[in-house]
Amino acid sequence: SKRVFAEQDTLVPWTLPARFQLPTPEAPPAEQVLQRYCHVFRQGELENLCSAVPDCRLEESGWERGNWFVRLRVARAQGSIAVAGGPQHSLPALATRSAPRMTDYVG
C-alpha cells in the first residue's frame, strides 16, 4: 500500500458502493465514503500479542497492504471448528455457531 499512517490508531476512508445503500424517497442510492477504524501495528507488535495465545504457533508474518499480518496455527483440540481459509485452518470450539462468512455481512 502507498498509504502512510501518522498514528497507530486512525480512521481511513472506505467507499460503500451504491448497490449496498438503502434507497430513500429523497434521493437515489449513491456511493458513500465512510470512515473506518484501523489499528496499524508496529513491527513485532502483532507477533508479541499472538505469542500470548495458548496452543498457538506463528507460521508466518510480514508486511502487506500497509499493515503487518500473521498466519497462525492453533493446535487441534477435540471439537475444533473449521474457519474461512480452508480445512488446514481451525480454532478450538468456543461456541456452537459456525464461523461468520462474508455473506453474513453483505446484503
Side-chain angles (χ1 to χ4, degrees):
S1 173
K2 298 173 188 170
R3 192 172 296 190
V4 176
F5 299 101
E7 299 184 28
Q8 279 190 276
D9 294 306
T10 188
L11 295 174
V12 294
W14 178 73
T15 303
L16 181 63
R19 69 180 184 268
F20 297 115
Q21 296 287 322
L22 295 175
T24 64
E26 299 84 30
E31 277 190 353
Q32 183 179 8
V33 177
L34 304 171
Q35 296 294 315
R36 68 178 171 89
Y37 170 80
C38 181
H39 179 79
V40 181
F41 290 95
R42 289 188 177 114
Q43 185 172 8
E45 180 184 4
L46 186 55
E47 292 93 334
N48 187 44
L49 286 171
C50 294
S51 69
V53 178
D55 301 322
C56 192
R57 184 176 78 230
L58 178 67
E59 298 245 323
E60 178 184 10
S61 67
W63 176 261
E64 184 177 282
R65 304 184 96 172
N67 208 348
W68 293 93
F69 74 91
V70 296
R71 186 167 55 92
L72 305 171
R73 173 140 340 245
V74 178
R76 290 190 182 259
Q78 187 174 7
S80 63
I81 57 171
V83 295
Q88 73 277 17
H89 298 85
S90 67
L91 295 172
L94 300 175
T96 56
R97 77 180 194 95
S98 62
R101 299 178 310 252
M102 193 59 176
T103 55
D104 293 338
Y105 301 105
V106 179

